[in-house]
Amino acid sequence: MGRLTTEHVPAFTWELELLAGSVGAVMAEPREVKFRLSRRRSSVPRARALLHSVLGDWGAGSEAAETGELVLSELVTNAMRVRAPRDRLVGVRIVWPTDDGLLRLEVSDAGEGKPEVRAPCEDETGGRGLLLVEALAHRWGFEQRACGIGKTVWVELKAPHLAPERDGTEIAAVAVRPGQCVRVWGAWHVVRSVGTDPSASDSGHTVVLGLDDGSALPIDATAPLTVRDAGVSSPQRGGEETPG
C-alpha cells in the first residue's frame, strides 16, 4: 500500500481506512482508501489534498492526479450542497482495481434525488460541475446506497500510469532469497537477508525479509510476493528507481 500518512492533510473530522489484500500492506490489489468528511466548505480542499497524497503514493502521473483532483472536488462540492442533516458525513472512496488502468472515485451523501447534467445559461455562474465530470470521465453514474439513505456518485477515470507492472514472478514469501528484488510498498527493494520470526505462533510460519532500506518485513510464509533478479530493469514510473 505504501507509507501514506496524514501529515500531508490538514486536520479535520474524518475516519480513514487503508484497505489492501490479504497480506496487509504488502499486496495491495486492489488498492483502496476510504474516508469521511464533515459537511463544511473546508472539506473540499482537504479531500483533494488526500487524493493527491494517495495518488502520489500509488505512482500516478501528474495528468491523472490533476484530473482526479478536479473531479473529486466537483463531486464533494455537490455532496456538500444536497439537503441533508448537518451531522451527516460525506463518504469518499478511492480505489484502483489494478486490472484495467482505471481509477474509481466514489462520493456518498445522505441527500435524496439523483445527479443530473444541466445546461446552464451563459449568465449563470454555477451548475456546470457535472458537465465537467462527464467530459473528463471514462464513465460515471450513481446508485442508491444499499444500507441507509442517500446515494453514491461514482466516476471512473483513465489512469494508464496506474496499470500494474507485469514484470517479475509471483512466488511464496518462503521461497524468496537474498539478492532478489521484491516489490512491496509500491516500489522494488533488494532483499538483504531472509529469516524467521521466533515470536510467531506455532499455528503459522512467519518469514522476515531484511530490505535494502534497513527495514524488516515480517510476512506469512505462504503469502505471494512479486520478485525478480537484481539488476533487471523495468519501465520506471513516477520517479521510481530500479535498485542495483
Side-chain angles (χ1 to χ4, degrees), residues 37 40 45 131 140 151 167 192 236 243:
L37 300 162
R40 60 184 65 175
L131 275 175
W140 76 281
K151 62 186 177 299
D167 58 336
R192 300 301 187 191
Q236 297 182 17

Side-chain angles (χ1 to χ4, degrees), residues 22 27 29 65 71 84 100 106 109 116 125 130 151 171 186 231 233:
S22 60
M27 300 300 293
E29 297 185 3
V71 168
D100 55 10
E106 298 179 2
D109 63 66
E116 295 182 347
T125 58
L130 285 180
K151 62 186 177 299
I171 63 175
S233 60

Side-chain angles (χ1 to χ4, degrees), residues 191-211:
V191 177
R192 300 301 187 191
S193 63
V194 179
T196 58
D197 185 359
S199 64
S201 64
D202 294 336
S203 59
H205 180 53
T206 300
V207 172
V208 180
L209 305 180
L211 305 179

Side-chain angles (χ1 to χ4, degrees), residues 5 11 14 17 46 48 68-69 88 93 105 117 142 147 181 200-201 229 236:
T5 67
W14 64 322
E17 296 178 76
R46 288 166 180 167
R48 190 168 58 242
E69 290 171 36
R88 293 283 185 172
R93 178 174 179 255
L105 305 175
V117 178
F142 80 99
C147 300
C181 290
S201 64
D229 292 335
Q236 297 182 17

